[in-house]
Amino acid sequence: MSSSRVAVVTGSNKGIGFSIVKSLAKNFDGVVYLTARNEDLGLKAVKDLENLGLSVQFHQLDIDDQESIDKFAKYIKEKYNGLDILVNNAAIAYHHRENDQTSEIERVENTIRINFTATLNLCNALFPLLRPHARVVNVSSRAGFLSNIKDHKWIERISSKIFTIDETVELLKDFIQLSKTGQHVDLVSNCYAMSKIGINLLTKAQQVLFDKDPRQDIVVSSCTPGYCATDMTSYTGPLTPDQGAETPVYLALLHKNWNGPKGEFWADKEYLDWKNIENKQKNN
């Protein structure tokens, strides 16, 4: 069993995830795992990094597949018996294209399932492996600002307290239920935004639990990478993926015994109150 420090980045064979792995390979003193659903694409990404003189490891991981999650968690436990950095980057976003026959209900269910539920499932599998001083980064978006909620009752519901994980799950279940009658469109700008609101609530709920955990100094953060030119944005963003990786990597490498914000949302390496209703949406 290796005693190496270990970092894992989900959905990292391309885009911002790839840039996060690239930066960690340069700046993290340990083993960095690039993960992807498709093994061939993942191995190609590893080769691309090797051509840059960087050494990373690959493991297949589909966060939407519990068997894949369990297999990966078992691998990390048996090989390292611990994890030091987890960057939850994997996510989807639908774009309205003429040939896309996906129904609105399917879009909602798929987006919430992958962006939120699958991320939570991975956390449930890997959190027991986190070592003291571990860092977890949940890649979110400015789309997850409370200001993107249009219904005053839901604004009050979300802003009135610190949610537990179970309460966050129930909130998103309620959103999915509303989508079955089309009422969700009066609630929030789109289902991607709702999935990222869920991630921001989840981040705080996870930190509340870690604050009571006997393992010292585990910090969970959510953040926006900014509006980057990737396939997620149809390559319309003004920022490069490398620029988008800067804040997630900054949070992944927070120094030991961090006494700054925990369980909070960050943008441009600074804490930002995502629940402030005065915040206006900016892309990502």
Side-chain angles (χ1 to χ4, degrees):
M1 182 181 296
S2 172
S3 60
S4 300
R5 299 182 70 216
V6 184
V8 169
V9 184
T10 68
S12 51
N13 63 286
K14 60 180 179 179
I16 295 168
F18 179 83
S19 289
I20 292 171
V21 169
K22 180 168 62 174
S23 181
L24 287 175
K26 297 175 182 178
N27 297 291
F28 173 64
D29 182 19
V31 180
V32 181
Y33 272 86
L34 183 154
T35 70
R37 291 180 298 168
N38 184 295
E39 183 172 353
D40 290 338
L41 294 178
L43 291 173
K44 179 183 181 302
V46 169
K47 184 65 176 178
D48 290 340
L49 290 172
E50 288 176 349
N51 290 338
L52 297 175
L54 300 173
S55 176
V56 303
Q57 300 296 314
F58 172 75
H59 199 288
Q60 191 277 338
L61 175 62
D62 180 356
I63 68 168
D64 195 32
D65 180 347
Q66 191 62 50
E67 183 178 349
S68 177
I69 289 175
D70 293 342
K71 182 178 179 180
F72 181 66
K74 180 181 179 182
Y75 170 82
I76 294 295
K77 179 174 177 57
E78 291 180 349
K79 188 170 181 63
Y80 302 101
N81 197 34
L83 179 63
D84 301 280
I85 292 174
L86 172 61
V87 181
N88 287 309
N89 171 74
I92 65 167
Y94 282 96
H95 302 285
H96 291 281
R97 298 186 175 97
E98 291 184 5
N99 61 347
D100 187 352
Q101 301 300 314
T102 308
S103 70
E104 179 61 17
I105 294 176
E106 288 177 308
R107 287 171 181 258
V108 171
E109 291 179 337
N110 292 343
T111 301
I112 298 299
R113 189 188 73 251
I114 295 172
N115 293 5
F116 177 81
T117 307
T119 296
L120 176 57
N121 290 341
L122 181 69
C123 289
N124 289 340
L126 293 183
F127 275 13
L129 301 178
L130 293 177
R131 297 181 175 123
H133 311 291
R135 303 290 180 251
V136 179
V137 182
N138 296 325
V139 178
S140 184
S141 168
R142 290 181 185 267
F145 281 175
L146 184 62
S147 56
N148 291 312
I149 294 287
K150 298 182 283 185
D151 184 278
H152 290 295
K153 290 183 178 178
W154 272 60
I155 290 174
E156 183 178 354
R157 178 181 178 184
I158 293 171
S159 62
S160 63
K161 63 177 181 178
I162 296 175
F163 273 52
T164 65
I165 292 175
D166 288 344
E167 287 169 339
T168 306
V169 170
E170 286 303 313
L171 181 83
L172 293 180
K173 284 183 179 178
D174 289 347
F175 179 75
I176 292 172
Q177 192 62 34
L178 287 172
S179 75
K180 295 179 180 179
T181 55
Q183 297 177 69
H184 68 299
V185 298
D186 298 322
L187 179 65
V188 69
S189 53
N190 56 63
C191 57
Y192 178 80
M194 194 67 219
S195 74
K196 293 305 184 179
I197 288 171
I199 287 295
N200 293 340
L201 289 170
L202 176 65
T203 299
K204 174 61 86 172
Q206 290 172 333
Q207 186 64 58
V208 168
L209 295 179
F210 280 126
D211 287 343
K212 304 173 184 177
D213 196 287
R215 293 169 293 179
Q216 181 185 5
D217 183 41
I218 296 179
V219 181
V220 188
S221 308
S222 63
C223 69
T224 174
Y227 191 28
C228 300
T230 68
D231 59 356
M232 182 80 80
T233 63
S234 299
Y235 299 96
T236 58
L239 301 178
T240 66
D242 284 356
Q243 290 173 313
E246 290 179 3
T247 297
V249 171
Y250 171 79
L251 294 169
L253 298 176
L254 290 177
H255 61 73
K256 284 187 176 182
N257 302 316
W258 173 256
N259 59 6
K262 299 178 181 180
E264 303 293 355
F265 181 92
W266 293 69
D268 300 320
K269 300 182 185 178
E270 295 183 353
Y271 159 69
L272 189 62
D273 182 7
W274 70 272
K275 284 189 176 183
N276 184 349
I277 199 64
E278 297 302 318
N279 283 328
K280 301 301 181 183
Q281 179 181 1
K282 298 178 183 178
N283 288 325
N284 274 358

